[in-house]
PDB file of all heavy atoms in Angstrom:
ATOM      1  N   TYR Q 311     -13.904  15.352  27.691  1.00 98.00           N
ATOM      2  CA  TYR Q 311     -13.695  16.344  26.652  1.00 98.00           C
ATOM      3  C   TYR Q 311     -14.975  16.779  25.938  1.00 98.00           C
ATOM      4  O   TYR Q 311     -14.934  17.526  24.967  1.00 98.00           O
ATOM      5  CB  TYR Q 311     -12.689  15.817  25.628  1.00 98.00           C
ATOM      6  CG  TYR Q 311     -11.906  16.908  24.909  1.00 98.00           C
ATOM      7  CD1 TYR Q 311     -10.719  17.388  25.452  1.00 98.00           C
ATOM      8  CD2 TYR Q 311     -12.342  17.441  23.714  1.00 98.00           C
ATOM      9  CE1 TYR Q 311      -9.991  18.377  24.808  1.00 98.00           C
ATOM     10  CE2 TYR Q 311     -11.617  18.441  23.055  1.00 98.00           C
ATOM     11  CZ  TYR Q 311     -10.455  18.910  23.612  1.00 98.00           C
ATOM     12  OH  TYR Q 311      -9.733  19.889  22.977  1.00 98.00           O
ATOM     13  N   GLY Q 312     -16.135  16.287  26.389  1.00 97.00           N
ATOM     14  CA  GLY Q 312     -17.347  16.531  25.624  1.00 97.00           C
ATOM     15  C   GLY Q 312     -17.305  15.827  24.290  1.00 97.00           C
ATOM     16  O   GLY Q 312     -17.892  16.280  23.292  1.00 97.00           O
ATOM     17  N   ALA Q 313     -16.612  14.689  24.249  1.00 98.00           N
ATOM     18  CA  ALA Q 313     -16.399  13.949  23.011  1.00 98.00           C
ATOM     19  C   ALA Q 313     -17.672  13.197  22.597  1.00 98.00           C
ATOM     20  O   ALA Q 313     -18.533  12.899  23.423  1.00 98.00           O
ATOM     21  CB  ALA Q 313     -15.240  12.970  23.174  1.00 98.00           C
ATOM     22  N   PRO Q 314     -17.767  12.835  21.321  1.00 98.00           N
ATOM     23  CA  PRO Q 314     -18.950  12.080  20.872  1.00 98.00           C
ATOM     24  C   PRO Q 314     -19.075  10.717  21.537  1.00 98.00           C
ATOM     25  O   PRO Q 314     -20.179  10.238  21.754  1.00 98.00           O
ATOM     26  CB  PRO Q 314     -18.754  11.966  19.359  1.00 98.00           C
ATOM     27  CG  PRO Q 314     -17.338  12.342  19.100  1.00 98.00           C
ATOM     28  CD  PRO Q 314     -16.930  13.259  20.189  1.00 98.00           C
ATOM     29  N   VAL Q 315     -17.948  10.069  21.828  1.00 98.00           N
ATOM     30  CA  VAL Q 315     -17.957   8.846  22.640  1.00 98.00           C
ATOM     31  C   VAL Q 315     -17.476   9.247  24.015  1.00 98.00           C
ATOM     32  O   VAL Q 315     -16.334   9.687  24.171  1.00 98.00           O
ATOM     33  CB  VAL Q 315     -17.046   7.758  22.038  1.00 98.00           C
ATOM     34  CG1 VAL Q 315     -17.082   6.489  22.897  1.00 98.00           C
ATOM     35  CG2 VAL Q 315     -17.477   7.429  20.605  1.00 98.00           C
ATOM     36  N   ASP Q 316     -18.334   9.139  25.024  1.00 98.00           N
ATOM     37  CA  ASP Q 316     -17.999   9.720  26.316  1.00 98.00           C
ATOM     38  C   ASP Q 316     -16.946   8.901  27.059  1.00 98.00           C
ATOM     39  O   ASP Q 316     -16.462   7.882  26.571  1.00 98.00           O
ATOM     40  CB  ASP Q 316     -19.260   9.951  27.157  1.00 98.00           C
ATOM     41  CG  ASP Q 316     -19.859   8.669  27.742  1.00 98.00           C
ATOM     42  OD1 ASP Q 316     -19.270   7.583  27.609  1.00 98.00           O
ATOM     43  OD2 ASP Q 316     -20.950   8.756  28.349  1.00 98.00           O
ATOM     44  N   GLU Q 317     -16.597   9.354  28.248  1.00 98.00           N
ATOM     45  CA  GLU Q 317     -15.499   8.731  29.007  1.00 98.00           C
ATOM     46  C   GLU Q 317     -15.730   7.253  29.222  1.00 98.00           C
ATOM     47  O   GLU Q 317     -14.794   6.463  29.273  1.00 98.00           O
ATOM     48  CB  GLU Q 317     -15.350   9.448  30.362  1.00 98.00           C
ATOM     49  CG  GLU Q 317     -14.191   8.918  31.194  1.00 98.00           C
ATOM     50  CD  GLU Q 317     -14.081   9.575  32.553  1.00 98.00           C
ATOM     51  OE1 GLU Q 317     -15.028  10.299  32.946  1.00 98.00           O
ATOM     52  OE2 GLU Q 317     -13.059   9.372  33.228  1.00 98.00           O
ATOM     53  N   ARG Q 318     -16.990   6.850  29.336  1.00 97.00           N
ATOM     54  CA  ARG Q 318     -17.339   5.470  29.617  1.00 97.00           C
ATOM     55  C   ARG Q 318     -17.648   4.661  28.362  1.00 97.00           C
ATOM     56  O   ARG Q 318     -18.144   3.545  28.435  1.00 97.00           O
ATOM     57  CB  ARG Q 318     -18.513   5.433  30.595  1.00 97.00           C
ATOM     58  CG  ARG Q 318     -18.119   5.913  31.983  1.00 97.00           C
ATOM     59  CD  ARG Q 318     -19.247   6.607  32.721  1.00 97.00           C
ATOM     60  NE  ARG Q 318     -18.823   7.045  34.054  1.00 97.00           N
ATOM     61  CZ  ARG Q 318     -18.113   8.133  34.302  1.00 97.00           C
ATOM     62  NH1 ARG Q 318     -17.748   8.932  33.302  1.00 97.00           N
ATOM     63  NH2 ARG Q 318     -17.773   8.451  35.534  1.00 97.00           N
ATOM     64  N   GLY Q 319     -17.355   5.247  27.186  1.00 97.00           N
ATOM     65  CA  GLY Q 319     -17.528   4.513  25.933  1.00 97.00           C
ATOM     66  C   GLY Q 319     -18.913   4.533  25.349  1.00 97.00           C
ATOM     67  O   GLY Q 319     -19.223   3.754  24.454  1.00 97.00           O
ATOM     68  N   ARG Q 320     -19.783   5.436  25.819  1.00 97.00           N
ATOM     69  CA  ARG Q 320     -21.178   5.491  25.368  1.00 97.00           C
ATOM     70  C   ARG Q 320     -21.354   6.561  24.297  1.00 97.00           C
ATOM     71  O   ARG Q 320     -20.729   7.627  24.360  1.00 97.00           O
ATOM     72  CB  ARG Q 320     -22.101   5.799  26.538  1.00 97.00           C
ATOM     73  CG  ARG Q 320     -21.872   4.967  27.790  1.00 97.00           C
ATOM     74  CD  ARG Q 320     -22.117   3.487  27.540  1.00 97.00           C
ATOM     75  NE  ARG Q 320     -21.828   2.714  28.728  1.00 97.00           N
ATOM     76  CZ  ARG Q 320     -22.666   2.524  29.752  1.00 97.00           C
ATOM     77  NH1 ARG Q 320     -23.858   3.078  29.728  1.00 97.00           N
ATOM     78  NH2 ARG Q 320     -22.307   1.795  30.780  1.00 97.00           N
ATOM     79  N   PRO Q 321     -22.221   6.318  23.335  1.00 98.00           N
ATOM     80  CA  PRO Q 321     -22.521   7.353  22.338  1.00 98.00           C
ATOM     81  C   PRO Q 321     -23.343   8.479  22.965  1.00 98.00           C
ATOM     82  O   PRO Q 321     -24.289   8.220  23.719  1.00 98.00           O
ATOM     83  CB  PRO Q 321     -23.314   6.608  21.264  1.00 98.00           C
ATOM     84  CG  PRO Q 321     -23.954   5.463  21.998  1.00 98.00           C
ATOM     85  CD  PRO Q 321     -22.989   5.068  23.075  1.00 98.00           C
ATOM     86  N   THR Q 322     -22.981   9.701  22.665  1.00 98.00           N
ATOM     87  CA  THR Q 322     -23.719  10.865  23.150  1.00 98.00           C
ATOM     88  C   THR Q 322     -24.522  11.451  21.994  1.00 98.00           C
ATOM     89  O   THR Q 322     -24.448  10.989  20.845  1.00 98.00           O
ATOM     90  CB  THR Q 322     -22.751  11.930  23.675  1.00 98.00           C
ATOM     91  OG1 THR Q 322     -21.954  12.400  22.578  1.00 98.00           O
ATOM     92  CG2 THR Q 322     -21.815  11.349  24.736  1.00 98.00           C
ATOM     93  N   GLU Q 323     -25.266  12.504  22.284  1.00 98.00           N
ATOM     94  CA  GLU Q 323     -25.993  13.189  21.207  1.00 98.00           C
ATOM     95  C   GLU Q 323     -25.017  13.669  20.149  1.00 98.00           C
ATOM     96  O   GLU Q 323     -25.304  13.637  18.949  1.00 98.00           O
ATOM     97  CB  GLU Q 323     -26.794  14.371  21.767  1.00 98.00           C
ATOM     98  CG  GLU Q 323     -27.563  15.125  20.690  1.00 98.00           C
ATOM     99  CD  GLU Q 323     -28.188  16.413  21.185  1.00 98.00           C
ATOM    100  OE1 GLU Q 323     -28.080  16.706  22.392  1.00 98.00           O
ATOM    101  OE2 GLU Q 323     -28.751  17.140  20.339  1.00 98.00           O
ATOM    102  N   LYS Q 324     -23.827  14.105  20.574  1.00 98.00           N
ATOM    103  CA  LYS Q 324     -22.818  14.572  19.629  1.00 98.00           C
ATOM    104  C   LYS Q 324     -22.382  13.447  18.701  1.00 98.00           C
ATOM    105  O   LYS Q 324     -22.104  13.674  17.510  1.00 98.00           O
ATOM    106  CB  LYS Q 324     -21.619  15.124  20.407  1.00 98.00           C
ATOM    107  CG  LYS Q 324     -20.681  15.986  19.605  1.00 98.00           C
ATOM    108  CD  LYS Q 324     -19.637  16.651  20.507  1.00 98.00           C
ATOM    109  CE  LYS Q 324     -20.264  17.718  21.377  1.00 98.00           C
ATOM    110  NZ  LYS Q 324     -19.257  18.397  22.245  1.00 98.00           N
ATOM    111  N   PHE Q 325     -22.310  12.217  19.207  1.00 98.00           N
ATOM    112  CA  PHE Q 325     -21.979  11.070  18.383  1.00 98.00           C
ATOM    113  C   PHE Q 325     -22.961  10.945  17.223  1.00 98.00           C
ATOM    114  O   PHE Q 325     -22.574  10.810  16.053  1.00 98.00           O
ATOM    115  CB  PHE Q 325     -22.018   9.800  19.241  1.00 98.00           C
ATOM    116  CG  PHE Q 325     -21.816   8.514  18.483  1.00 98.00           C
ATOM    117  CD1 PHE Q 325     -20.550   7.963  18.351  1.00 98.00           C
ATOM    118  CD2 PHE Q 325     -22.879   7.842  17.897  1.00 98.00           C
ATOM    119  CE1 PHE Q 325     -20.359   6.772  17.668  1.00 98.00           C
ATOM    120  CE2 PHE Q 325     -22.710   6.653  17.221  1.00 98.00           C
ATOM    121  CZ  PHE Q 325     -21.436   6.126  17.099  1.00 98.00           C
ATOM    122  N   TRP Q 326     -24.238  11.011  17.548  1.00 98.00           N
ATOM    123  CA  TRP Q 326     -25.253  10.815  16.513  1.00 98.00           C
ATOM    124  C   TRP Q 326     -25.255  11.964  15.513  1.00 98.00           C
ATOM    125  O   TRP Q 326     -25.413  11.759  14.305  1.00 98.00           O
ATOM    126  CB  TRP Q 326     -26.628  10.632  17.143  1.00 98.00           C
ATOM    127  CG  TRP Q 326     -26.680   9.449  18.064  1.00 98.00           C
ATOM    128  CD1 TRP Q 326     -26.775   9.449  19.416  1.00 98.00           C
ATOM    129  CD2 TRP Q 326     -26.605   8.064  17.684  1.00 98.00           C
ATOM    130  NE1 TRP Q 326     -26.776   8.181  19.919  1.00 98.00           N
ATOM    131  CE2 TRP Q 326     -26.670   7.300  18.874  1.00 98.00           C
ATOM    132  CE3 TRP Q 326     -26.494   7.404  16.461  1.00 98.00           C
ATOM    133  CZ2 TRP Q 326     -26.621   5.906  18.873  1.00 98.00           C
ATOM    134  CZ3 TRP Q 326     -26.454   6.011  16.458  1.00 98.00           C
ATOM    135  CH2 TRP Q 326     -26.517   5.285  17.645  1.00 98.00           C
ATOM    136  N   ARG Q 327     -25.056  13.184  15.986  1.00 98.00           N
ATOM    137  CA  ARG Q 327     -25.020  14.343  15.086  1.00 98.00           C
ATOM    138  C   ARG Q 327     -23.818  14.266  14.142  1.00 98.00           C
ATOM    139  O   ARG Q 327     -23.943  14.524  12.927  1.00 98.00           O
ATOM    140  CB  ARG Q 327     -24.949  15.630  15.913  1.00 98.00           C
ATOM    141  CG  ARG Q 327     -26.205  15.937  16.703  1.00 98.00           C
ATOM    142  CD  ARG Q 327     -27.265  16.597  15.856  1.00 98.00           C
ATOM    143  NE  ARG Q 327     -28.388  17.058  16.665  1.00 98.00           N
ATOM    144  CZ  ARG Q 327     -29.409  17.745  16.199  1.00 98.00           C
ATOM    145  NH1 ARG Q 327     -29.457  18.055  14.902  1.00 98.00           N
ATOM    146  NH2 ARG Q 327     -30.387  18.113  16.981  1.00 98.00           N
ATOM    147  N   LEU Q 328     -22.644  13.960  14.690  1.00 98.00           N
ATOM    148  CA  LEU Q 328     -21.445  13.868  13.843  1.00 98.00           C
ATOM    149  C   LEU Q 328     -21.550  12.680  12.896  1.00 98.00           C
ATOM    150  O   LEU Q 328     -21.069  12.742  11.756  1.00 98.00           O
ATOM    151  CB  LEU Q 328     -20.198  13.759  14.700  1.00 98.00           C
ATOM    152  CG  LEU Q 328     -19.882  14.935  15.635  1.00 98.00           C
ATOM    153  CD1 LEU Q 328     -18.484  14.784  16.227  1.00 98.00           C
ATOM    154  CD2 LEU Q 328     -20.016  16.276  14.936  1.00 98.00           C
ATOM    155  N   ARG Q 329     -22.161  11.609  13.355  1.00 98.00           N
ATOM    156  CA  ARG Q 329     -22.349  10.433  12.490  1.00 98.00           C
ATOM    157  C   ARG Q 329     -23.205  10.782  11.273  1.00 98.00           C
ATOM    158  O   ARG Q 329     -22.937  10.325  10.159  1.00 98.00           O
ATOM    159  CB  ARG Q 329     -22.980   9.300  13.302  1.00 98.00           C
ATOM    160  CG  ARG Q 329     -23.026   7.936  12.592  1.00 98.00           C
ATOM    161  CD  ARG Q 329     -23.562   6.888  13.552  1.00 98.00           C
ATOM    162  NE  ARG Q 329     -23.363   5.541  13.082  1.00 98.00           N
ATOM    163  CZ  ARG Q 329     -24.305   4.774  12.514  1.00 98.00           C
ATOM    164  NH1 ARG Q 329     -25.529   5.253  12.366  1.00 98.00           N
ATOM    165  NH2 ARG Q 329     -24.030   3.547  12.112  1.00 98.00           N
ATOM    166  N   GLU Q 330     -24.237  11.585  11.481  1.00 98.00           N
ATOM    167  CA  GLU Q 330     -25.096  12.008  10.361  1.00 98.00           C
ATOM    168  C   GLU Q 330     -24.277  12.778   9.326  1.00 98.00           C
ATOM    169  O   GLU Q 330     -24.451  12.594   8.115  1.00 98.00           O
ATOM    170  CB  GLU Q 330     -26.239  12.880  10.884  1.00 98.00           C
ATOM    171  CG  GLU Q 330     -27.283  12.136  11.695  1.00 98.00           C
ATOM    172  CD  GLU Q 330     -28.305  13.082  12.313  1.00 98.00           C
ATOM    173  OE1 GLU Q 330     -28.186  14.323  12.060  1.00 98.00           O
ATOM    174  OE2 GLU Q 330     -29.197  12.622  13.031  1.00 98.00           O
ATOM    175  N   VAL Q 331     -23.378  13.662   9.803  1.00 98.00           N
ATOM    176  CA  VAL Q 331     -22.549  14.426   8.877  1.00 98.00           C
ATOM    177  C   VAL Q 331     -21.564  13.518   8.158  1.00 98.00           C
ATOM    178  O   VAL Q 331     -21.412  13.560   6.929  1.00 98.00           O
ATOM    179  CB  VAL Q 331     -21.803  15.541   9.640  1.00 98.00           C
ATOM    180  CG1 VAL Q 331     -20.826  16.261   8.714  1.00 98.00           C
ATOM    181  CG2 VAL Q 331     -22.789  16.542  10.236  1.00 98.00           C
ATOM    182  N   LEU Q 332     -20.869  12.668   8.906  1.00 98.00           N
ATOM    183  CA  LEU Q 332     -19.853  11.795   8.303  1.00 98.00           C
ATOM    184  C   LEU Q 332     -20.461  10.795   7.319  1.00 98.00           C
ATOM    185  O   LEU Q 332     -19.811  10.424   6.336  1.00 98.00           O
ATOM    186  CB  LEU Q 332     -19.102  11.058   9.406  1.00 98.00           C
ATOM    187  CG  LEU Q 332     -18.211  11.942  10.288  1.00 98.00           C
ATOM    188  CD1 LEU Q 332     -17.792  11.208  11.554  1.00 98.00           C
ATOM    189  CD2 LEU Q 332     -16.973  12.403   9.517  1.00 98.00           C
ATOM    190  N   ALA Q 333     -21.687  10.387   7.550  1.00 97.00           N
ATOM    191  CA  ALA Q 333     -22.332   9.424   6.666  1.00 97.00           C
ATOM    192  C   ALA Q 333     -22.466   9.979   5.249  1.00 97.00           C
ATOM    193  O   ALA Q 333     -22.463   9.210   4.275  1.00 97.00           O
ATOM    194  CB  ALA Q 333     -23.708   9.040   7.218  1.00 97.00           C
ATOM    195  N   GLU Q 334     -22.559  11.287   5.129  1.00 95.00           N
ATOM    196  CA  GLU Q 334     -22.700  11.899   3.792  1.00 95.00           C
ATOM    197  C   GLU Q 334     -21.418  11.782   2.979  1.00 95.00           C
ATOM    198  O   GLU Q 334     -21.446  11.884   1.751  1.00 95.00           O
ATOM    199  CB  GLU Q 334     -23.086  13.373   3.953  1.00 95.00           C
ATOM    200  CG  GLU Q 334     -24.425  13.590   4.640  1.00 95.00           C
ATOM    201  CD  GLU Q 334     -24.745  15.059   4.813  1.00 95.00           C
ATOM    202  OE1 GLU Q 334     -24.287  15.863   3.955  1.00 95.00           O
ATOM    203  OE2 GLU Q 334     -25.416  15.419   5.794  1.00 95.00           O
ATOM    204  N   TRP Q 335     -20.285  11.584   3.659  1.00 93.00           N
ATOM    205  CA  TRP Q 335     -19.006  11.458   2.947  1.00 93.00           C
ATOM    206  C   TRP Q 335     -18.476  10.028   2.972  1.00 93.00           C
ATOM    207  O   TRP Q 335     -17.370   9.780   2.521  1.00 93.00           O
ATOM    208  CB  TRP Q 335     -17.986  12.407   3.567  1.00 93.00           C
ATOM    209  CG  TRP Q 335     -18.081  13.814   3.028  1.00 93.00           C
ATOM    210  CD1 TRP Q 335     -17.400  14.340   1.971  1.00 93.00           C
ATOM    211  CD2 TRP Q 335     -18.933  14.861   3.502  1.00 93.00           C
ATOM    212  NE1 TRP Q 335     -17.765  15.636   1.766  1.00 93.00           N
ATOM    213  CE2 TRP Q 335     -18.705  16.002   2.698  1.00 93.00           C
ATOM    214  CE3 TRP Q 335     -19.884  14.960   4.537  1.00 93.00           C
ATOM    215  CZ2 TRP Q 335     -19.368  17.204   2.879  1.00 93.00           C
ATOM    216  CZ3 TRP Q 335     -20.534  16.172   4.708  1.00 93.00           C
ATOM    217  CH2 TRP Q 335     -20.290  17.263   3.904  1.00 93.00           C
ATOM    218  N   ALA Q 336     -19.247   9.107   3.494  1.00 90.00           N
ATOM    219  CA  ALA Q 336     -18.808   7.704   3.571  1.00 90.00           C
ATOM    220  C   ALA Q 336     -18.942   7.046   2.211  1.00 90.00           C
ATOM    221  O   ALA Q 336     -19.798   7.416   1.391  1.00 90.00           O
ATOM    222  CB  ALA Q 336     -19.632   6.956   4.608  1.00 90.00           C
ATOM    223  N   GLU Q 337     -18.084   6.045   1.966  1.00 86.00           N
ATOM    224  CA  GLU Q 337     -18.114   5.335   0.687  1.00 86.00           C
ATOM    225  C   GLU Q 337     -19.179   4.264   0.654  1.00 86.00           C
ATOM    226  O   GLU Q 337     -19.459   3.703  -0.393  1.00 86.00           O
ATOM    227  CB  GLU Q 337     -16.745   4.725   0.401  1.00 86.00           C
ATOM    228  CG  GLU Q 337     -15.648   5.767   0.186  1.00 86.00           C
ATOM    229  CD  GLU Q 337     -14.323   5.139  -0.199  1.00 86.00           C
ATOM    230  OE1 GLU Q 337     -14.230   3.893  -0.182  1.00 86.00           O
ATOM    231  OE2 GLU Q 337     -13.373   5.894  -0.519  1.00 86.00           O
ATOM    232  N   GLY Q 338     -19.762   3.962   1.787  1.00 87.00           N
ATOM    233  CA  GLY Q 338     -20.817   2.955   1.859  1.00 87.00           C
ATOM    234  C   GLY Q 338     -21.548   3.072   3.183  1.00 87.00           C
ATOM    235  O   GLY Q 338     -21.326   4.015   3.945  1.00 87.00           O
ATOM    236  N   PRO Q 339     -22.439   2.124   3.471  1.00 92.00           N
ATOM    237  CA  PRO Q 339     -23.164   2.169   4.747  1.00 92.00           C
ATOM    238  C   PRO Q 339     -22.210   2.096   5.929  1.00 92.00           C
ATOM    239  O   PRO Q 339     -21.189   1.405   5.898  1.00 92.00           O
ATOM    240  CB  PRO Q 339     -24.061   0.920   4.685  1.00 92.00           C
ATOM    241  CG  PRO Q 339     -24.132   0.545   3.231  1.00 92.00           C
ATOM    242  CD  PRO Q 339     -22.835   0.972   2.634  1.00 92.00           C
ATOM    243  N   LEU Q 340     -22.534   2.797   6.981  1.00 96.00           N
ATOM    244  CA  LEU Q 340     -21.697   2.775   8.182  1.00 96.00           C
ATOM    245  C   LEU Q 340     -21.945   1.498   8.968  1.00 96.00           C
ATOM    246  O   LEU Q 340     -23.056   0.961   8.970  1.00 96.00           O
ATOM    247  CB  LEU Q 340     -22.001   3.983   9.054  1.00 96.00           C
ATOM    248  CG  LEU Q 340     -21.739   5.364   8.449  1.00 96.00           C
ATOM    249  CD1 LEU Q 340     -21.960   6.456   9.480  1.00 96.00           C
ATOM    250  CD2 LEU Q 340     -20.334   5.444   7.866  1.00 96.00           C
ATOM    251  N   PRO Q 341     -20.932   0.995   9.648  1.00 96.00           N
ATOM    252  CA  PRO Q 341     -21.107  -0.212  10.471  1.00 96.00           C
ATOM    253  C   PRO Q 341     -22.119   0.053  11.596  1.00 96.00           C
ATOM    254  O   PRO Q 341     -22.309   1.200  12.011  1.00 96.00           O
ATOM    255  CB  PRO Q 341     -19.712  -0.477  11.033  1.00 96.00           C
ATOM    256  CG  PRO Q 341     -18.782   0.331  10.204  1.00 96.00           C
ATOM    257  CD  PRO Q 341     -19.556   1.498   9.699  1.00 96.00           C
TER     258      PRO Q 341
END
Side-chain angles (χ1 to χ4, degrees):
Y311 207 88
V315 180
D316 74 6
E317 183 182 11
R318 291 148 180 80
R320 312 297 177 83
T322 65
E323 180 189 357
K324 196 172 289 181
F325 175 93
W326 300 110
R327 292 278 188 176
L328 298 190
R329 190 175 193 258
E330 290 174 2
V331 174
L332 291 165
E334 298 178 30
W335 276 268
E337 295 184 353
L340 298 185

